[in-house]
Amino acid sequence: MKYLHNIGAYFIMIKDIFRKPTKWSVMKTLILKDIDDLIIGSLGIVAFIGFFVGGVVAIQTSLNISNPLIPKYLVGFATRQSIILEFAPTFISIIMAGKVGSFITSSIGTMRVTEQIDALEVMGINAINYLVFPKFIALTLYPFVISIAMFLGILGGLAACVYGGYGTLEDYVTGIQNDFIPFHMAYAFIKTMVFAFILATIPSFYGYFMKGGALEVGKASTTSFVWTSVVIILLNFLLTSLLLG
Amino acid sequence: MIEVKNLHKSFGDAHILKGISTTFDKGKTNLIIGQSGSGKTVFLKCLLGLFDYEKGSIAYDGKIFSKLSRDERTELRSEIGMVFQGSALFDSMTIAENVMFPLRMFTKQSKSEMEDRADFVLKRVNLPDAHNKMPSEASGGMQKRVAIARAIVNNPKYLFCDEPNSGLDPRTSIVIDNLIQEITDEYQITTVINSHDMNSVMEIGEKIVFLQYGLKEWEGSKDTIFRTDNEAVTSFVYSSELFKKVRRMYIEENQ
């Protein structure tokens, strides 16, 4: 029953994000701040993880190719496919559920605990629009983050493959160019946009509707991470079945 | 003036407010007092429109809140200033930005006009040099004064304060009380204060509403509270020996 109530409350919150908008001059500042916090602030960790996981994918693929009939360029091909189709959009989104999601839940939750949300409501401001809409807009730039993860993942694979002695540069480049299907990029970015929406709204929901004190802010952040991850995984399955199945 | 009639509010099976009727007058500091759990905060949140109520009515200068349209409620809320118990300043903004926030949201003033107004109200609350500090750098008393400055910056008709003295030392409490009373007189605001602080009751309680178990047990002023025989009020207000003595002295002096 509680789950049904939460699902209903979540969709009502989604509707309220777009109701009674905050003055543009104020909203503009909030959006820029959230772009800085959520997008720019995540680039470092995304670049780091992207590069090294790309390297690991390339090494693992190379080590598991023992049949001499399998061409060496498969390392580049497999790295590209893994990075573009799953690692960048899905794996990075799970990491972002921890980083960005926890940040959103704890910052909104702290505002709830310290009555800052009540202060907004007393002033007649649509607090959901004021708090969630800028995050939603900031996360429309999320595909930019995922593009960087894709690029650096493939680059990391190249570095590991070539400098680790697992293959030649020519083989790797041939592999990443081989049998490229443009729709896979579309598929990856459709998933990315859906995950961006989830990353903006589920953590906001848990922050906005939390009750209690500082301890509950921590609990809400954990719950938000769990549910954001669960929804991302389920939607990943659904979208993959629909778009590629 | 705010007029409350037969206000009822429940949370599930718990009947918190059981038919409160009272009025809060313009240009007066109106205090709501009562023990913890008596329904003061719920009452204040109903007055502010943060909680819906099941029965009764709240009228702001004749306008019944529950009958107002969404836009009319927004307009009314722009006339309300609120000082929260924990100040509720926005962490990410400087003190000056906090004070200018209602102006940015509800007026079309230029930046310089807003800065001038923020200067004026910060001076009014005796914080002329705090503009660029962050709320976390300010003491509890300073934060309360900033919250008062933010509440009055847009010339509200109604000012609500939830336990404005909680967590403050006695001297700072008196400064905050006096400031609220001066502002109420100066701008002829309808001020409603939710308080536990007996000093506030004695100093600025031009009208006092005593709540017990969700009912209005007594109402009067700082003068009549000395003479009341209501046992619930006397046992709450004069629970300390000091206040018992003060009461005796007051009665003897005025006989």
Side-chain angles (χ1 to χ4, degrees), chain A residues 140-185:
Chain A
T140 57
L141 296 177
Y142 187 52
F144 169 66
V145 176
I146 297 302
S147 306
I148 287 175
M150 286 176 179
F151 173 74
L152 288 174
I154 293 170
L155 190 70
L158 183 147
C161 184
V162 175
Y163 297 109
Y166 298 99
T168 63
L169 177 66
E170 289 72 27
D171 282 342
Y172 190 86
V173 172
T174 306
I176 58 175
Q177 290 175 332
N178 187 49
D179 202 17
F180 178 71
I181 301 168
F183 180 70
H184 284 177
M185 290 299 285

Side-chain angles (χ1 to χ4, degrees), chain B residues 127-142:
Chain B
L127 288 173
D129 304 316
H131 295 60
N132 297 321
K133 282 188 177 172
M134 297 305 284
S136 57
E137 296 167 335
S139 66
M142 278 173 80

Side-chain angles (χ1 to χ4, degrees), chain B residues 5 7 9 39 43 64 75 78-79 97 104 107 111 118 140-141 145 150 160-161 168 172 178 180 194 212 221 233:
Chain B
K5 280 185 190 162
L7 196 71
K9 169 71 187 167
F43 184 39
I64 296 173
E75 197 185 322
S78 69
E79 296 176 340
E97 285 168 345
R104 287 181 70 197
T107 70
K111 198 178 173 204
R145 281 187 277 168
R150 185 178 68 183
F160 293 89
C161 308
L168 299 180
T172 312
N178 291 340
I180 292 171
N194 196 348
Q212 193 175 42
S221 70
V233 178

Side-chain angles (χ1 to χ4, degrees), chain B residues 160-215:
Chain B
F160 293 89
C161 308
D162 188 12
E163 306 204 14
N165 300 325
S166 69
L168 299 180
D169 63 81
R171 197 173 164 188
T172 312
S173 292
I174 291 168
V175 170
I176 297 292
D177 279 345
N178 291 340
L179 185 61
I180 292 171
Q181 190 166 40
E182 283 166 24
I183 287 165
T184 303
D185 287 343
E186 202 174 318
Y187 303 110
Q188 285 296 295
I189 302 170
T190 306
T191 298
V192 181
I193 304 170
N194 196 348
S195 186
H196 269 131
D197 190 79
M198 286 309 116
N199 283 322
S200 303
V201 173
M202 305 302 179
E203 290 285 332
I204 61 167
E206 291 176 285
K207 171 155 186 181
I208 301 164
V209 177
F210 179 76
L211 300 188
Q212 193 175 42
Y213 308 123
L215 289 163

Side-chain angles (χ1 to χ4, degrees), chain A residues 126-235:
Chain A
N126 175 2
I128 291 179
N129 173 269
Y130 181 87
L131 295 169
V132 187
F133 187 74
K135 290 167 179 53
F136 170 73
I137 296 296
L139 281 166
T140 57
L141 296 177
Y142 187 52
F144 169 66
V145 176
I146 297 302
S147 306
I148 287 175
M150 286 176 179
F151 173 74
L152 288 174
I154 293 170
L155 190 70
L158 183 147
C161 184
V162 175
Y163 297 109
Y166 298 99
T168 63
L169 177 66
E170 289 72 27
D171 282 342
Y172 190 86
V173 172
T174 306
I176 58 175
Q177 290 175 332
N178 187 49
D179 202 17
F180 178 71
I181 301 168
F183 180 70
H184 284 177
M185 290 299 285
Y187 157 77
F189 283 114
I190 289 168
K191 284 207 302 190
T192 301
M193 286 308 292
V194 172
F195 296 161
F197 182 78
I198 298 300
L199 283 170
T201 52
I202 292 184
S204 298
F205 172 79
Y206 279 99
Y208 190 83
F209 291 102
M210 67 143 296
K211 289 187 174 81
L215 187 66
E216 281 74 16
V217 175
K219 283 183 187 166
S221 297
T222 310
T223 314
S224 134
F225 170 67
V226 170
W227 280 108
T228 308
S229 307
V230 167
V231 172
I232 285 173
I233 297 290
L234 287 176
L235 284 175

